[in-house]
Amino acid sequence: MAKIVGSITTSHVPAIGRALAGKLQDDPYWKPFFDGFPPVHAWLEKVKPDVAVVLYNDHGLNFFLDKMPTFAVGAAPQYHNADEGWGIPTLPPYQGDPALSWQLIEDLVAREFDITTCQEMLVDHAFSLPLKLLWPASESCPVRTVPVCINTVQYPLPSARRCYKLGKAIGEAIAGWDDDLRVVIIGTGGLSHQLDGERAGFINKDFDLAFMESLIADPEWATQFSMEELVEKTGTQGVELLMWLAARAALPGAVRKVHANYHIPISNTAAGLMVIETVA
C-alpha cells in the first residue's frame, strides 16, 4: 500500500526564482532563507519519496479569473512550466503519476468533493519553485508529481475547515492506493503577507509562529477562523496558509516536527519552512 512519509510546507515567493537564477544563496539578504533547506535535503535523501503530491494555488498561468475552480487535480503524464515574467526561469517539465491522480480524483469525488480534473495543466511558480528548492542539484525534478490546486485568489474561497477536510481525504485516498509508493505531501504559500491596499507589506509574525506550532499538536486550530478573520490576521494573500493546513491534514496518525525555519521578509512576505513526518 502507498505510504505518506511526511509533509513539507514552504513559501513560493516569485523573487525566489530570481535568487535561484542569480545564484544568490549566499547573498546576505537571501542566506537566512536558503540556509533553512539543507536539513530538508537530508531528510528527503533519507525518506526517498517516489511521488510528491503538491498543494498550491495558481496565479493566472493555468486558471484565470473567468474560470477559477475551488479545487483542481492534475491527471496528466507530464506538466509544463511557462514564462510568468518576474525573471523566474522556466524549468523542465515535471513527470506526472496519472494512476495516483485518478485514485485521488475518484476517491475525492466519492467523498463529495467537487474536483476539476485537468488532463492538461500548466504549473506556475507556486509549484515549480518549491520543487527546485527541495531538489536543487537535479536539472529536472527527480520524483513524479500530482498537482492539487486550491483557489486562494478569487472569492469565494474554500474555508479553512473545508481545506482541512480536503487534506484529510487526500491522505486517506493515498493510504487506500494499492501500490508500494512512498509519497511526500508538499504545501506551498505564505505565510502572512499582503501585496496591495492600505495594509500592503503587512506581516504577523506572532500568528505565523502560532500557526506553525499548531500543526504539530493541534492541527485543526486554524479551522476555528473564518476566511475574513484569516485575512485580518495574515493579510489578503496570507490565506495561502490553507495549503499548509491541507498538507498537514493529509498526514495519518501521530507526527513529529523534523525541521522548521522562519524568516522575514522575503520581498514583503513572511517565509516559512517546515518538515513534519509521520511516526510509525
Side-chain angles (χ1 to χ4, degrees), residues 7-131:
S7 70
I8 304 171
T9 42
T10 185
S11 305
H12 61 225
V13 181
I16 296 169
R18 290 200 305 274
L20 288 169
K23 303 185 185 306
L24 300 179
Q25 287 87 341
D26 290 324
D27 180 274
Y29 179 86
W30 286 102
K31 188 172 172 52
F33 171 74
F34 283 102
D35 279 354
F37 284 89
V40 187
H41 303 155
W43 181 77
L44 284 169
E45 183 60 29
K46 184 184 77 170
V47 300
K48 298 185 184 309
D50 303 297
V51 182
V53 174
V54 185
L55 286 69
Y56 72 107
N57 59 298
D58 183 87
H59 299 75
L61 184 65
N62 193 73
F63 302 113
F64 199 62
L65 302 183
D66 59 334
K67 300 180 184 66
M68 184 61 69
T70 301
F71 303 123
V73 177
Q78 196 174 68
Y79 302 96
H80 288 262
N81 193 212
D83 186 0
E84 299 175 71
W86 298 316
I88 304 174
T90 301
L91 298 169
Y94 301 85
Q95 296 304 310
D97 190 324
L100 180 58
S101 290
W102 283 109
Q103 163 71 3
L104 293 189
I105 291 164
E106 291 177 6
D107 200 281
L108 291 173
V109 171
R111 294 168 189 261
E112 302 182 346
F113 283 94
D114 299 320
I115 300 297
T116 297
T117 302
C118 302
Q119 298 185 64
E120 293 181 350
M121 193 175 193
L122 292 173
V123 289
D124 77 357
H125 67 275
F127 182 97
S128 64
L129 292 181
L131 293 180

Side-chain angles (χ1 to χ4, degrees), residues 152-165:
T152 61
V153 175
Q154 171 141 298
Y155 280 77
L157 308 184
S159 68
R161 182 162 297 283
R162 183 73 169 153
C163 291
Y164 187 89
K165 289 179 178 178

